[in-house]
């Protein structure tokens, strides 16, 4: 029976191809709650949960295109430091937030020199295939 449109709770462990864990609901002690196939989750995770039964555990490999998308080189932007207040204080290697038409969005500070600051606005997991161990712990409806 399909879980599409139902509120579900799932525990998960997410890892990269090299085995590095990037997220884990078990570590937080609380499953994630979402409406299945409502676009609240990455497409591959939604699809994996859609046909699971209560109590089922499965491991799925989700290609980048079905996760956080392919890495987009056009999402790396150079901005003149003259246009950025306190540009010399930008934390290279860390994430800052810009205000956009749809609210704040993150950008990683890649480099700052005397003329430009370079920002990468790709999601930190863009371009990466992800593996999830998923356990369906609750289904409403």
């Amino acid at each position: 029976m399909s879980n599409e449109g139902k509120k579900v709770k799932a525990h998960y462990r997410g890892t990269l191809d090299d085995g590095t864990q990037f997220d884990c609901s078990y570590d937080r002690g609380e499953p994630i709650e979402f409406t299945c196939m409502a676009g609240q989750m990455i497409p591959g995770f939604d699809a994996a949960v859609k046909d699971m039964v209560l109590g089922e555990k499965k491991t799925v490999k989700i290609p980048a295109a079905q996760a956080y998308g392919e890495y987009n080189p056009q999402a790396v932007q150079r901005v003149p430091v003259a246009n950025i207040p306190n540009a010399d204080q930008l934390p290279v290697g860390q994430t800052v937030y810009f205000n956009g038409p749809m609210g704040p969005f993150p950008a990683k500070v890649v480099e700052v020199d005397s003329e430009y600051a370079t920002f990468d606005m790709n999601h930190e997991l863009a371009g990466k295939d992800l593996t999830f161990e998923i356990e369906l712990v609750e289904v409403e409806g």
Side-chain angles (χ1 to χ4, degrees), residues 7 22 25 32 46 55 69-70 84 97 118-120 126 131:
K7 246 188 197 165
F22 62 85
S25 67
I32 191 164
D46 249 349
E70 298 296 344
I84 305 169
Y97 290 84
T118 305
F119 300 97
D120 186 344
T131 299

Side-chain angles (χ1 to χ4, degrees), residues 19 22 26 31 37-38 50 56 62 89 115 126 137:
F22 62 85
Y26 293 103
M37 303 304 289
K50 181 180 174 189
E56 181 180 354
I62 301 174
Q89 296 175 25
E115 292 184 48
V137 295

Side-chain angles (χ1 to χ4, degrees), residues 1-6 8 34 36-37 44-54 56-58 60 134 136 139:
M1 182 157 216
S2 174
N3 293 317
E4 186 167 357
K6 295 179 182 174
V8 298
F34 62 99
C36 189
M37 303 304 289
F45 195 98
D46 249 349
V49 172
K50 181 180 174 189
D51 295 317
M52 289 179 72
V53 296
L54 186 61
E56 181 180 354
K57 294 180 180 183
K58 70 160 63 167
V60 293
I134 304 170
L136 188 61
V139 179

Side-chain angles (χ1 to χ4, degrees), residues 15-17 22 61-65 67 70 125-131:
T15 56
L16 303 175
D17 283 344
F22 62 85
K61 184 168 179 120
I62 301 174
E70 298 296 344
L125 295 173
K128 293 180 167 59
D129 296 337
L130 309 176
T131 299

